[in-house]
Amino acid sequence: MADVQVESVSRSFGAHKALDDVSIAFPDGGFYALLGPSGSGKTTLLRLIAGFDFPDSGRIIIGREGVERVPVEKRRIGMVFQNYALFPNMSVADNVAFGLSVRGESKASIAREVRQALDLVQLGKLGERRPHQLSGGQRQRVALARAIVTKPRVLLLDEPLSALDKALRVDMQVELKRIQREIGITTIFVTHDQEEALTMSDRIGILRDGRLVEEGPPEDIYNSPKSEFSATFLGDANILRGDATGDGIRLSDGTAIVASGGVANATGGKASCAVRPERIKIATATASPLAAEGNMLRGRVSKRIFAGNSSTYFVDRMGEVIKVHVQNSGATKIEEGNDVVLHWSPESTVLISAA
Amino acid sequence: MAGNIAAGPLSGIRPALPLLAPAYLWLTLAIFLPLSAMAFFSFMTDLPLSGKDWSFTIRNYAAFFSSGLYVTLLWSSLRLGLEVTLWCALIGFPAAYVLAKVLKGRSREAIFLLVILPFWSNGLVRIFSWAMVLREGGILDVVLNAILPFKISVDLMYSYPAVIIGLVHSYVPYMVLTCYLTLQAIDDSLIEAARSLGASRLQVLRRLIIPLAMPGLIAGAVLIFVPVVGSFMEPRILGGRTGTFYGTVIEDQFVAVFNWPLGAALSFILLAVVLVILAAASPVLRRAT
């Protein structure tokens, strides 16, 4: 096992800067998610760490060894591909054994290690099958077993769950996390799925247009994002824009929004506030006033979407839409067209510098 | 999906008949009838032309076994087929790999065109061009003497290597095309996965790419081996006196000696031998694919 350091790495393809001066420290034994929309450079970064491609400048250090010029076959990494990339001409066991046998290990030790790896991913009985005889989830497990059986220093996962259907994906998230903890391997996980990044990783790095926008533990980024982009990309967020007042913003109609978290900013400039939809409480305007929570806005319900355990209200306020998530816990629903009052606490409001 | 259609009311071969019929009618007319006629000839003493007397005989087949010449010639033709196939694989597979996996876009199209070019040129023109290149004082000699500081004369014309060169040139596109198709179907991520597991380029080639490309290699080998064993044009023109092979002897029977029955019999023996070889090899081939 080893930690991974990416230091000031840049990579261009022609005129396109896929990665622009990115530095990230991936802690030893951690589960790090690289999150970003397509074209953000997350896959490019993973391929640089793997050694399929080489940076134009900057350093990549695995353990204490600078590897930015070392080709992939000498880096001792394990990789799981989006399409699994199982060798169709080999059985499951031979797929898993491949990395050991190209290293020239003895037959007996290969057989033992393959059995252990297949047991770890709970596929002990399927060693003789061919990849095409397996389900998507089983192929995923084989790909994982194949990647970890060689005891790599780093495990790289390139959107490994995106080809699975939702129920299976949740199962595999849990499973992947369990295996990662069990062997304690430094894991770097590329995904565009924010939910996956939140549930699985202990650190998230958000990339956009080849730059690292923000990084930190999932809860920190979620609760106090530093930019509009990370606020909206990682989870859902309402962005309110106005003039900075020091501890919040003043909207165009004069309403003051108070925030207790986020970046400090001086008065006079433009600023934004992010509020998570589930932090906002909603009540009909005619109902008895609830205990004031600091911030309050009035509006009208333009749409309500029922999603099983929760509902989302789209509240129109002077042409802007504010989303509110409400748990369906038996409270009376508010019909579309009703005037409502929204309120939330300053603690739920994050001040971010203007985008 | 296909299973559903087959299980439907329109199952079976009947709806497919209009699609199959033209091809099979043509094959019947163009191959089966002449072939039957040839089979018929091969058991005759003489051609049934201009009122000649003829009767049925197996003499023509017996001639093959009674004279060691034909067996020797067949052996050398089989060896020729094997050698040409091997050279085509050695030359064609790397070319197909580069076309399928290294080149992209326009450069791939251009190189592809160069590979296919022999297909579009007339066979005789191709062979006589080689004759001009290979003969003593020919283009090859001129070029070599211009480059090398000492006098040299390769004079490959009318030799076994000349026959090999001509045949490989004619047939290498088959190998390139069949290998290209199978190599192109190999997902790049498979190669990347193998490398990420520590495999060297040679190991990737040996353990992954060649096994996965085996169907193409085998299809190319069959497409090349069979016609080369019966080839006569290249051996005759480029081989001269050394170019006597089984195919040229068959051609002689039809064109020069005018002994069609013997030529037909020799052809069917060749067909039988090739079929036996393919049948014997098929378990190996099937396992490999």
Side-chain angles (χ1 to χ4, degrees):
Chain A
M1 307 305 151
D3 63 335
V4 178
Q5 310 279 341
V6 169
E7 292 173 2
S8 314
V9 161
S10 295
R11 177 78 175 107
S12 300
F13 300 105
H16 172 64
K17 275 199 163 181
L19 283 176
D20 188 6
D21 194 22
V22 171
S23 298
I24 303 177
F26 301 92
D28 190 359
F31 198 118
Y32 194 108
L34 287 171
L35 180 66
S38 54
S40 60
K42 56 189 191 302
T43 300
T44 305
L45 181 57
L46 194 77
R47 293 176 64 81
L48 290 180
I49 297 170
F52 292 122
D53 192 14
F54 304 103
D56 299 330
S57 61
R59 292 189 37 82
I60 297 168
I61 298 152
I62 299 178
R64 280 188 192 78
E65 182 196 357
V67 295
E68 62 274 0
R69 296 285 160 240
V70 178
V72 53
E73 54 267 29
K74 300 217 170 72
R75 279 202 194 177
R76 294 200 287 125
I77 53 108
M79 178 128 175
V80 176
F81 293 78
Q82 191 169 5
N83 65 353
Y84 318 131
L86 298 181
F87 308 134
N89 56 322
M90 301 176 199
S91 69
V92 165
D94 288 344
N95 261 280
V96 178
F98 186 88
L100 301 169
S101 80
V102 295
R103 245 157 256 204
E105 286 196 21
S106 75
K107 278 220 162 81
S109 82
I110 289 177
R112 190 179 61 244
E113 287 175 60
V114 166
R115 203 175 332 107
Q116 279 173 3
L118 285 175
D119 285 343
L120 182 66
V121 298
Q122 303 177 349
L123 283 181
K125 294 188 184 69
L126 300 183
E128 294 313 305
R129 295 257 185 105
R130 288 279 171 143
H132 69 263
Q133 296 168 311
L134 302 180
S135 69
Q138 290 170 332
R139 282 179 213 186
Q140 181 63 71
R141 288 161 194 262
V142 176
L144 186 62
R146 186 178 67 174
I148 58 180
V149 75
T150 56
K151 308 218 164 30
R153 296 183 289 183
V154 190
L155 179 62
L156 306 173
L157 309 168
D158 184 8
E159 307 218 8
L161 306 177
S162 60
L164 302 176
D165 60 59
K166 185 158 188 204
L168 201 53
R169 198 156 66 221
V170 173
D171 285 352
M172 278 308 293
Q173 285 175 3
V174 175
E175 183 76 3
L176 198 56
K177 191 73 201 167
R178 170 185 74 78
I179 292 165
Q180 193 263 338
R181 284 225 184 87
E182 209 167 311
I183 58 179
I185 186 170
T186 311
T187 302
I188 304 173
F189 177 81
V190 158
T191 181
H192 62 265
D193 184 332
Q194 42 105 355
E195 197 186 310
E196 221 163 76
L198 284 172
T199 50
M200 294 179 72
S201 55
D202 32 58
R203 261 185 109 74
I204 294 179
I206 298 179
L207 288 162
R208 183 196 193 186
D209 297 334
R211 288 177 162 276
L212 182 69
V213 179
E214 189 169 349
E215 73 154 350
E219 284 195 38
D220 291 5
I221 299 187
Y222 186 83
N223 289 331
S224 49
K226 291 189 178 66
S227 71
E228 280 187 25
F229 179 77
S230 27
T232 48
F233 195 75
L234 194 70
D236 228 343
N238 294 299
I239 304 289
L240 302 167
R241 296 185 183 85
D243 298 319
T245 58
D247 63 345
I249 58 169
R250 189 174 306 281
L251 302 180
S252 55
D253 65 343
T255 312
I257 303 291
V258 182
S260 69
V263 295
N265 70 323
T267 51
K270 294 275 177 196
S272 318
C273 280
V275 190
R276 297 290 177 193
E278 72 275 11
R279 297 286 181 83
I280 302 176
K281 297 201 174 65
I282 186 169
T284 50
T286 52
S288 55
L290 289 124
E293 275 205 86
N295 293 312
M296 186 183 84
L297 290 174
R298 291 182 182 279
R300 175 171 291 168
V301 175
S302 61
K303 197 192 259 176
R304 172 178 172 269
I305 292 174
F306 174 73
N309 61 352
S310 70
S311 293
T312 302
Y313 290 95
F314 291 82
V315 177
D316 185 79
R317 179 186 173 275
M318 301 195 316
E320 279 187 68
V321 175
I322 298 171
K323 271 192 268 184
V324 182
H325 292 321
V326 176
Q327 290 296 314
N328 288 332
S329 52
T332 49
K333 65 176 186 182
I334 302 170
E335 296 298 338
E336 291 175 5
N338 281 4
D339 288 329
V340 288
V341 178
L342 307 176
H343 54 104
W344 67 93
S345 71
E347 287 73 38
S348 302
T349 315
V350 183
L351 191 60
I352 47 190
S353 46
Chain B
M1 280 300 159
N4 286 344
I5 291 165
L10 282 175
S11 67
I13 198 155
R14 202 119 50 95
L17 269 183
L19 302 176
L20 277 177
Y24 274 84
L25 277 176
W26 172 249
L27 287 176
T28 310
L29 280 173
I31 295 174
F32 185 69
L33 288 183
L35 213 60
S36 316
M38 276 297 151
F40 189 62
F41 286 162
S42 71
F43 288 104
M44 295 165 88
T45 52
D46 207 340
L47 278 182
L49 298 172
S50 58
K52 282 186 193 168
D53 286 336
W54 61 272
S55 56
F56 286 110
T57 177
I58 57 159
R59 196 191 63 194
N60 298 317
Y61 287 91
F64 175 86
F65 296 99
S66 60
S67 159
L69 175 71
Y70 296 121
V71 179
T72 312
L73 284 174
L74 184 57
W75 267 122
S76 60
S77 278
L78 291 173
R79 200 191 116 196
L80 180 72
L82 216 60
E83 250 178 78
V84 170
T85 307
L86 209 67
W87 281 113
C88 284
L90 286 176
I91 296 169
F93 187 83
Y97 182 82
V98 172
L99 276 169
K101 290 285 166 217
V102 181
L103 297 176
K104 303 268 182 272
R106 292 202 74 81
S107 56
R108 175 192 283 183
E109 286 168 29
I111 303 286
F112 219 114
L113 208 66
L114 288 179
V115 171
I116 307 297
L117 220 53
F119 264 167
W120 294 342
S121 55
N122 176 281
L124 270 177
V125 173
R126 221 184 307 147
I127 295 164
F128 278 110
S129 319
W130 272 116
M132 285 172 62
V133 171
L134 297 175
R135 76 186 153 81
E136 195 173 5
I139 296 168
L140 185 61
D141 277 5
V142 172
V143 170
L144 282 179
N145 281 319
I147 299 169
L148 297 172
F150 48 87
K151 186 110 183 75
I152 193 171
S153 174
V154 269
D155 188 20
L156 281 171
M157 196 57 191
Y158 305 130
S159 68
Y160 187 71
V163 178
I164 299 270
I165 289 172
L167 283 168
V168 167
H169 179 224
S170 300
Y171 286 99
V172 83
Y174 289 103
M175 190 59 88
V176 176
L177 285 177
T178 54
C179 288
Y180 173 79
L181 289 176
T182 47
L183 284 169
Q184 208 197 19
I186 300 175
D187 196 324
D188 285 345
S189 67
L190 291 181
I191 297 168
E192 290 186 340
R195 291 183 62 206
S196 77
L197 292 165
S200 67
R201 278 163 202 276
L202 200 68
Q203 284 170 321
V204 174
L205 182 73
R206 203 169 52 81
R207 309 262 318 248
L208 195 65
I209 294 174
I210 290 181
L212 288 174
M214 203 41 99
L217 273 166
I218 286 169
V222 171
L223 282 177
I224 292 167
F225 178 76
V226 175
V228 165
V229 170
S231 67
F232 55 87
M233 210 155 63
E234 290 87 350
R236 188 173 297 283
I237 298 169
L238 297 173
R241 273 194 308 121
T242 60
T244 308
F245 287 94
Y246 197 75
T248 59
V249 169
I250 294 176
E251 190 212 4
D252 279 339
Q253 304 309 314
F254 283 96
V255 185
V257 189
F258 224 62
N259 189 351
W260 283 32
L262 179 59
L266 292 177
S267 300
F268 277 101
I269 290 169
L270 175 61
L271 182 63
V273 167
V274 166
L275 288 179
V276 165
I277 290 173
L278 292 183
S282 76
V284 182
L285 301 188
R286 200 166 323 134
R287 204 168 338 117
T289 52

